[in-house]
């Protein structure tokens, strides 16, 4: 069972470069999420997709865009990377965000912006 | 302003003893609370949850207690095992699509 798969696992970018983080889930979940984890901050929601065809801003959306390509895939794009976006990025999915279903997480993408 | 706070960055416990991880929250509208466990280089995994209408939920060695009047919840692990060494995140669900996470507590269980 793959669950939630994120690619790449590691990436180093230069300031101003663009990058798309990929996420796919095989659990037929309706809702998908992108988080960033920074030291001492926990996980902060960047964007979420309640269902296929919808996306909404989370707590820290500035500098990011997302695409819900289909029910399985939810990508996160950095158009012009900045050092402040150095972080570990986690994608997650759940059956339905409005229920109390727990989220299933990928193993993360470690992104460094120089 | 952090709505979910885990004030202890780390906790060290002897194998076989009880581990108690604490979490405080500020928003009385939270309707569901969850605990996630995270190993290095892996994503968080769901551990246990509790509805705001309950005060206790138990699953094997793991018990979560909720004190709504104090806006406080705790995770008890009994007995603690070395494999429990991980970072534990407290999270609160708002009823919409947003889950608010605490900063995490790193648990060390010594053999």
């Amino acid at each position: 069972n793959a669950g939630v798969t994120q690619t790449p696992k590691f990436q180093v970018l230069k300031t101003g470069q663009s990058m798309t983080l990929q996420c796919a889930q095989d659990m037929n979940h309706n809702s998908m999420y992108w988080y960033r984890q920074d030291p001492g901050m926990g996980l902060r929601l960047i964007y979420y997709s309640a269902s296929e065809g919808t996306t909404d801003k989370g707590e820290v959306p500035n500098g990011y865009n997302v695409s819900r390509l289909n029910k399985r895939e939810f990508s996160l794009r950095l158009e012009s990377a900045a050092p402040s976006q150095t972080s570990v990025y986690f994608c997650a999915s759940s059956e339905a965000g409005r229920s109390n279903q727990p989220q299933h997480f990928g193993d993360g993408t470690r992104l460094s912006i120089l | 302003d952090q709505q979910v706070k885990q004030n202890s960055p780390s906790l060290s416990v002897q194998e076989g003893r009880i581990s108690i991880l604490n979490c405080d929250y500020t928003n009385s509208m939270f309707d569901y609370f969850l605990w996630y466990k995270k190993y290095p280089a892996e994503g968080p995994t769901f551990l246990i949850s509790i509805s705001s209408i309950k005060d206790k939920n138990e699953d094997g060695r793991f018990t979560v207690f909720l004190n709504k009047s104090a806006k406080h919840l705790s995770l008890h692990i009994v007995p603690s095992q070395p494999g429990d060494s991980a970072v534990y995140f407290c999270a609160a669900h708002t009823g919409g699509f947003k889950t608010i996470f605490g900063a995490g507590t790193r648990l060390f269980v010594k053999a």
Side-chain angles (χ1 to χ4, degrees):
Chain A
N1 252 353
V4 178
T5 303
Q6 291 184 236
T7 55
K9 293 189 184 303
F10 303 92
Q11 186 69 48
V12 178
L13 294 177
K14 294 181 179 178
T15 297
Q17 287 185 314
S18 62
M19 169 83 189
T20 299
L21 308 186
Q22 307 287 353
C23 175
Q25 53 92 6
D26 63 1
M27 295 171 283
N28 201 35
H29 284 168
N30 289 309
S31 303
M32 298 186 73
Y33 313 81
W34 276 105
Y35 292 90
R36 60 178 288 174
Q37 185 193 7
D38 302 295
M41 301 285 290
L43 285 85
R44 291 183 293 167
L45 183 65
I46 304 171
Y47 271 92
Y48 67 94
S49 171
S51 60
E52 185 179 357
T54 69
T55 60
D56 280 289
K57 294 178 180 179
E59 183 183 356
V60 288
N62 291 344
Y64 305 95
N65 286 301
V66 290
S67 295
R68 183 75 183 265
L69 304 171
N70 47 55
K71 191 171 186 179
R72 289 188 63 248
E73 298 172 290
F74 188 40
S75 62
L76 178 72
R77 182 161 179 85
L78 288 70
E79 290 290 352
S80 180
S84 61
Q85 294 177 305
T86 292
S87 189
V88 181
Y89 291 85
F90 289 100
C91 178
S93 69
S94 66
E95 288 189 22
R98 288 195 181 276
S99 73
N100 298 319
Q101 295 298 317
Q103 295 176 24
H104 298 255
F105 287 83
D107 286 340
T109 294
R110 285 146 188 83
L111 185 60
S112 293
I113 317 293
L114 305 178
Chain B
D1 184 30
Q2 283 187 306
Q3 297 186 64
V4 176
K5 297 180 182 179
Q6 294 178 257
N7 291 318
S8 297
S10 65
L11 173 68
S12 184
V13 171
Q14 198 70 32
E15 181 180 8
R17 305 295 291 269
I18 184 171
S19 296
I20 300 176
L21 294 93
N22 294 304
C23 179
D24 296 296
Y25 63 94
T26 57
N27 188 343
S28 59
M29 298 303 293
F30 288 143
D31 64 350
Y32 219 79
F33 301 91
L34 308 98
W35 284 93
Y36 287 85
K37 175 179 179 179
K38 183 184 180 304
Y39 292 118
E42 295 183 9
T45 56
F46 170 71
L47 190 57
I48 192 170
S49 61
I50 187 168
S51 166
S52 61
I53 63 173
K54 296 189 174 182
D55 55 18
K56 178 182 176 181
N57 188 29
E58 195 170 355
D59 183 2
R61 296 187 297 114
F62 302 91
T63 303
V64 56
F65 295 92
L66 176 62
N67 182 333
K68 286 185 68 177
S69 61
K71 294 190 176 68
H72 177 84
L73 66 156
S74 60
L75 174 68
H76 292 212
I77 306 173
V78 183
S80 301
Q81 299 173 353
D84 296 328
S85 296
V87 176
Y88 290 80
F89 290 100
C90 171
H93 193 263
T94 63
F97 287 90
K98 297 180 182 179
T99 301
I100 310 298
F101 286 82
T105 296
R106 185 177 298 276
L107 174 66
F108 300 94
V109 179
K110 298 175 288 187

